[in-house]
Amino acid sequence: MADTLEALDLTHVLYDPASNLGLALALVTLSPILLMACYGALSVVTRDLLIINMWIGQFGCEGFNYVLKHVIKEERPATLHPSGGGYGFPSSHSQFMGYFAAFMVLHLHLHHRFATTGIVLLDTLFALAVRGAIVSLALAVCYSRYYLGYHTVPQILWGLGIGIALGCGYYATTEYIPRAYPNSLPGKFRRFLLASPPFVWLRIMDGWAVWSDGGHGDAYSRWRQEWDQKARKSL
């Protein structure tokens, strides 16, 4: 056994106990960890290629951040407590959220369509609210890294910018091009994966290639029909 123990920085967050805002931002700053759990759960439950692909890209984004930190080796703010060790440039949390927000907003704008209420204004406001919530969460995580003293403003802005660039580039290469240009190399590779025995055996599908909402509306309609039939029989 080692002579000294080391803290797990992944979930170890320091904040001012006298500040309610500090507590709130300490919880917000854990969003990337919670999102990773969501990626895993959604990938297993839905088995949709888009979610799995986004998760893979997120791991790639984290790996790239690790490389950048250990190549640049810029320290965190001097005011930070020693337990918050590791390099600070670029901010991994900001880069994580930049990738997440960019990928999600592009997908919602280019491919996803929410179920309509029949009122155009209400549909538009709901779509904007969802996009706004995603962007707001990303910005809140970025601000939390500054408020809690884990990063300087340049470290955060560079992390956010790199994440956005990676999210846009990865989405364009792996999602937009295969759908817009199915005979392109990315499009052919996507069809190859979906037709491969491992993907068929695991029942991995590309819901947004068939339905504008990924198939959720159709699944709900079938459930609603079966539910109503059973409800009438039980009367």
Side-chain angles (χ1 to χ4, degrees), residues 54-229:
M54 185 179 179
W55 194 19
I56 292 172
Q58 193 78 74
F59 274 113
C61 180
E62 289 298 286
F64 185 58
N65 179 268
Y66 179 86
V67 171
L68 288 177
K69 279 188 173 180
H70 286 77
V71 169
I72 299 172
K73 297 183 179 181
E74 181 176 299
E75 298 295 334
R76 294 178 183 271
T79 56
L80 182 65
H81 191 275
S83 63
Y87 297 117
F89 184 93
S91 166
S92 60
H93 284 68
S94 301
Q95 186 172 318
F96 184 107
M97 296 307 298
Y99 169 91
F100 173 80
F103 194 104
M104 281 295 298
V105 169
L106 283 174
H107 173 65
L108 292 174
H109 181 69
L110 296 174
H111 289 123
H112 186 80
R113 295 295 177 269
F114 293 103
T116 181
T117 62
I119 304 174
V120 176
L121 179 60
L122 190 59
D123 292 344
T124 302
L125 291 176
F126 178 76
L128 291 174
V130 172
R131 292 165 173 78
I134 294 170
V135 173
S136 296
L137 177 61
L139 294 177
V141 172
C142 291
Y143 179 70
S144 74
R145 303 310 288 172
Y146 172 75
Y147 183 89
L148 298 172
Y150 281 89
H151 293 285
T152 63
V153 172
Q155 290 172 351
I156 292 169
L157 293 179
W158 272 100
L160 180 64
I162 292 170
I164 291 173
L166 289 175
C168 292
Y170 189 75
Y171 185 87
T173 304
T174 64
E175 293 293 336
Y176 179 76
I177 293 177
R179 299 181 195 282
Y181 307 98
N183 291 324
S184 63
L185 184 60
K188 292 178 180 178
F189 181 66
R190 192 182 190 89
R191 291 200 302 273
F192 166 77
L193 288 177
L194 289 168
S196 65
F199 272 52
V200 174
W201 180 68
L202 291 171
R203 297 188 178 185
I204 296 175
M205 65 176 186
D206 187 1
W208 276 272
V210 179
W211 301 285
S212 62
D213 65 346
H216 303 294
D218 188 61
Y220 177 79
S221 297
R222 293 199 305 271
W223 172 84
R224 185 84 257 175
Q225 183 179 9
E226 293 292 331
W227 175 265
D228 290 342
Q229 288 178 357

